[in-house]
Amino acid sequence: MAHTPTLVTHTIEPLFDSRSRVLMLGTMPSPKSREYGFYYGHPRNRFWPVMARLWDEPPATTIAEKKALMLRHRLAVWDVLAGCEIVGASDASIKRPRPNDLARIIDAAPIEAVVTCGSAATRHYERFDAPRWPELPHLALPSTSPANARMSLDALVKAYAPVRDLAEGGEAAARVLAALAPTAAAVSDPEDSAPGVSAPGDAR
């Protein structure tokens, strides 16, 4: 199997509105997500099941349902990078990263916290964005990709529970915000452990 990097440009529009309170960031859309036309498009990625479980809702299956779920709960979704060279869906293989301008969302919505999904998203956020918005609380969470096989769906739902608290505001959000350091420590993901090798199943 060839491991030739491909120059990829981000083409999926960010999702947010004037009520978005939490900005959730991945690294870069995978080939499956680009083919699907929306975030976390691989059928074995657990991002959307996690989001539904957080609010005890039926699984969102269509793009329209996924957009509605996020906006209903004041969540925005985008990726840290606007372009890069990458082998398949392997975040560890990324070279020549070029960041998205998060001001497009942060200046337009009442964003109170940023959540990065996976250690690669965390690293690139800390490099490109955290210095620009040092006052914005940042929570680093594990990847929902099946490449992160050590974490079950139940474990991911538990790890992502602070997203629900942040999105709903009030005392629960205040507790999470108080616990956050200016930049949370990166989370180690198995998918990032083998540079230059695509994650199994191209699963983001």
Side-chain angles (χ1 to χ4, degrees):
M1 178 178 176
H3 300 303
T4 303
T6 300
L7 182 62
V8 176
T9 298
H10 199 302
T11 58
I12 304 174
E13 285 293 300
L15 178 70
F16 68 99
D17 64 15
S18 61
R19 299 175 62 254
S20 299
R21 181 178 278 153
V22 179
L23 173 55
M24 302 189 71
L25 297 169
T27 309
M28 189 75 186
S30 69
K32 287 292 185 182
S33 292
R34 298 196 299 273
E35 176 184 338
Y36 179 60
F38 199 56
Y39 301 95
Y40 306 100
H42 195 284
R44 292 194 295 122
N45 192 295
R46 294 164 291 175
F47 181 87
W48 296 112
V50 167
M51 291 297 104
R53 286 271 298 272
L54 288 180
W55 280 276
D56 193 24
E57 295 187 3
T61 57
T62 68
I63 291 177
E65 289 173 349
K66 293 169 181 177
K67 288 181 177 180
L69 184 153
M70 298 298 278
L71 296 179
R72 183 165 60 251
H73 296 296
R74 303 186 67 165
L75 301 173
V77 61
W78 206 14
D79 288 307
V80 178
L81 299 183
C84 65
E85 291 184 355
I86 187 170
V87 177
S90 172
D91 285 344
S93 71
I94 288 174
K95 296 180 179 178
R96 297 174 59 195
R98 178 169 54 88
N100 273 316
D101 184 2
L102 301 186
R104 180 174 176 184
I105 297 178
I106 293 172
D107 290 350
I111 299 297
E112 297 178 1
V114 170
V115 173
T116 47
C117 305
S119 58
T122 296
R123 287 197 305 272
H124 292 296
Y125 176 83
E126 290 177 341
R127 173 184 175 186
F128 292 116
D129 304 302
R132 186 174 177 185
W133 291 283
E135 75 289 349
L136 195 59
H138 168 217
L139 175 63
L141 292 178
S143 171
T144 55
S145 166
N148 183 12
R150 64 186 173 84
M151 294 196 73
S152 66
L153 177 59
D154 287 344
L156 286 169
V157 171
K158 183 176 180 179
Y160 274 69
V163 173
R164 179 187 57 223
D165 295 337
L166 290 168
E168 293 184 349
E171 294 183 3
R175 287 194 295 270
V176 176
L177 292 172
L180 289 178
T183 302
V187 177
S188 177
D189 293 329
E191 68 179 294
D192 294 331
S193 62
V197 179
S198 297
D202 189 19
R204 281 204 315 280

